[in-house]
Amino acid sequence: MNTPSISSKLPEVGTTIFTEMSLLAQTHNAINLSQGFPDFNPPQGLIDRLSYHINQGHNQYAPMSGLPALRQQLATKLDRWYQRQVDHDQEITVVPGATAALFCAIHAVVRPGDEVIVFDPSYDSYDPAITLAGGRCVHLPLQAPNYTIDWQRTADAITSRTRLLIINSPHNPSGTVLTSEDLLTLQRLLRDTEVLVLSDEVYEHLVFDGRRHASVLQFDELFARSFAVFSFGKTYHATGWKTGYCVAPGPLMSEFRKVHQYLTFVAVTPIQCALADFMASDPHYLSELAGFYQQKRDYFCTGLAASRFGFTPAQGTFFQLADYSAISDLDERAFCHYLTTEVGVAAIPLQPFYRQPAPGSQLRFCFAKSDHTLQRALDKLCRL
Ligand code: PMP
Ligand code: GLN
C-alpha cells in the first residue's frame, strides 16, 4: 500500500545537531561535550523526594497550571531574585520543559503573516515553532566579537507586522549575557509598539564573575509585554526530567494556557512535588550554583589555554565557544565530525544556530561535566 504523499510543513528541518552529535559521540565512544547536559546527578535530596512522592502515590495528573505548592515556591523565588511579585495562580504555569513553554508562547500569539524577530546564532527550536504558527522569522545577527544586540538595527527591523521578539540571556551558544542597560533599551524601544517579548532565561543561574542575571521580570513595562521562560533541567542538573515554567502577566498567561492545555495539558506530577519540597528545604542551593559552574568554566578554560583553540571565557551558561582556525581549515561540521571520530571529543558546530550559515571556525563545548571528564577531554584537545 502506498503512503499518501505529504508536503512537509518544515521542509528545511532535519534531525537536530544535538541529536546528531550525541549519537556520533556514542557510536565512536567519544567524550561528549556536544549536547548540553551534565554528566552528574541532580542533588541527592531532590532525587530522594522524587522517589518518595512516586512511592506515596503522587502519580496522577497535576492541576493544569502546575502544582500550587511549586508555583508558590516559584513566586517566592521570583520575588527574592527579581523583586517581581507575581500571582502564582494567574501568572505562572509549569510545563514539561522550556521547549514546550517556548512553543506555547509562540503559538499563543503568533498568527499567519506575523513577523518574529530572533537574533542569530539562535537556539534551534525558535524558528520551526514560528514557522508552524504561520509566522515569518526575521533573523538579525548578533554583533562580533561578543555577540551583542545591535539595538538600532533591531529598531529598524520592527514593522507593523512585528508581533514578537525573542531574546535569550544567558545566551546559548555564545555564553554572552544581556545587561540591565540592554533590557532598559529594549523596554524603551518597544514602548509605543504592540510587540511582545519572549525571554528565554533557562540559564538564569549560570552567570559568572560577579555578574547578576538581568531578567525581563525586573522591568515593569517589559514584564507587561513578556513571556519569561525557565527550565528546572538546567538549574537542578536534570535535563531529562523535562520540566520548566513560564511567567507572564495574566492576560498573556491566559492565552498561553489555552495552548498548553491542548499540547501537553500538564507537567509530570511527582517531579513537581519533589521540586516544591526541595525549593522549600534548600533555598541556598540557587545561590551556590553560579560558583559551582564558574569553577567548571575556569577549570575548562585554564586547560584550554594550553591548546591551540582560541576563546573568550563565557560570561554565563554551561557552554564555551572556541575557535579552531589555528588547528584546521575544515568547515565546522566536518571539524566536529573529525574531532568526535578521530580525536575522541564531541562538540557542536556553530553554523546550525544560523539561518544563513557563513563560513566560520567556531565550535561549542559543554563544560557541565565532572572535572575528570573535562580533564580527559582537555588532554586530547591539547594534543591538537
Ligand atoms: N532554551 C535554550 C536556550 C536551551 O539551551 C534549552 C536547552 N535545551 C532550552 C530552551 C530547552 O530547555 P528544556 O530542556 O527545559 O526544554
Ligand atoms: N539545549 C541543549 C543544547 O543546547 C540541547 C537540547 C536538545 O538536544 N534539544 O545543547
Side-chain angles (χ1 to χ4, degrees), residues 57-361:
H58 299 147
N59 298 304
Q60 311 309 329
Y61 296 130
M64 180 271 276
S65 56
L67 205 72
L70 179 55
R71 285 186 279 109
Q72 272 158 14
Q73 285 300 325
L74 290 172
T76 303
K77 179 235 152 136
L78 296 172
D79 189 9
R80 187 172 300 149
W81 283 76
Y82 305 123
Q83 298 73 53
R84 171 65 49 194
Q85 291 83 47
V86 299
D87 175 344
H88 72 271
D89 265 336
Q90 307 295 328
E91 298 182 316
I92 302 177
T93 302
V94 183
V95 291
T99 311
L102 294 165
F103 195 90
C104 290
I106 289 167
H107 279 259
V109 299
V110 174
R111 294 163 197 266
D114 284 351
E115 291 175 1
V116 181
I117 294 178
V118 305
F119 298 98
D120 282 0
S122 59
Y123 189 57
D124 67 341
S125 82
Y126 306 153
D127 187 308
I130 294 159
T131 304
L132 285 174
R136 193 171 83 77
C137 210
V138 177
H139 291 262
L140 300 182
L142 293 172
Q143 301 178 107
N146 291 326
Y147 299 92
T148 47
I149 294 179
D150 180 339
W151 290 114
Q152 187 53 52
R153 189 163 177 179
T154 306
D156 295 344
I158 292 175
T159 72
S160 57
R161 290 184 301 278
T162 309
R163 173 86 291 220
L164 186 67
L165 181 147
I166 303 182
I167 51 175
N168 169 215
S169 176
H171 181 247
N172 179 6
S174 73
T176 300
V177 303
L178 291 176
T179 61
S180 298
E181 288 70 41
D182 283 313
L183 295 188
L184 281 168
T185 305
L186 177 61
Q187 177 167 267
R188 214 171 31 245
L189 196 146
L190 298 183
R191 190 159 286 154
D192 297 317
T193 73
E194 296 296 313
V195 178
L196 301 171
V197 173
L198 175 52
S199 183
D200 180 343
E201 304 185 18
V202 298
Y203 300 101
E204 63 179 319
H205 293 294
L206 280 54
V207 282
F208 312 136
D209 307 319
R211 293 182 179 84
R212 292 281 296 178
H213 170 59
S215 170
V216 290
L217 301 182
Q218 291 164 302
F219 302 89
D220 290 344
E221 284 179 46
L222 211 45
F223 176 61
R225 58 172 79 235
S226 292
F227 298 94
V229 167
F230 303 90
S231 173
F232 294 104
K234 320 292 171 192
T235 301
Y236 294 95
H237 317 318
T239 59
W241 290 15
K242 289 304 293 185
T243 308
Y245 60 101
C246 179
V247 185
L252 293 184
M253 186 51 81
S254 113
E255 293 306 312
F256 178 98
R257 287 180 180 174
K258 290 179 190 176
V259 182
H260 162 66
Q261 71 179 349
Y262 293 125
L263 181 67
T264 54
F265 181 47
V266 284
V268 176
T269 303
I271 291 179
Q272 296 188 64
C273 298
L275 286 164
D277 287 358
F278 190 75
M279 287 185 79
S281 68
D282 200 344
H284 300 302
Y285 174 85
L286 294 180
S287 10
E288 288 158 10
L289 203 56
F292 171 80
Y293 269 112
Q294 182 172 325
Q295 235 168 12
K296 299 226 162 279
R297 182 208 58 178
D298 290 345
Y299 189 94
F300 188 63
C301 286
T302 303
L304 206 60
S307 77
R308 292 198 291 154
F309 286 94
F311 65 92
T312 307
Q315 299 174 346
T317 73
F318 48 43
F319 300 120
Q320 179 61 53
L321 286 188
D323 181 296
Y324 62 84
S325 53
I327 299 171
S328 166
D329 50 18
L330 286 173
D331 71 40
E332 290 178 357
R333 205 180 206 102
F335 185 72
C336 283
H337 275 246
Y338 159 77
L339 205 58
T340 309
T341 59
E342 306 294 327
V343 180
V345 181
I348 297 283
L350 202 61
Q351 292 304 314
F353 291 82
Y354 286 93
R355 179 62 173 184
Q356 241 133 33
S361 52

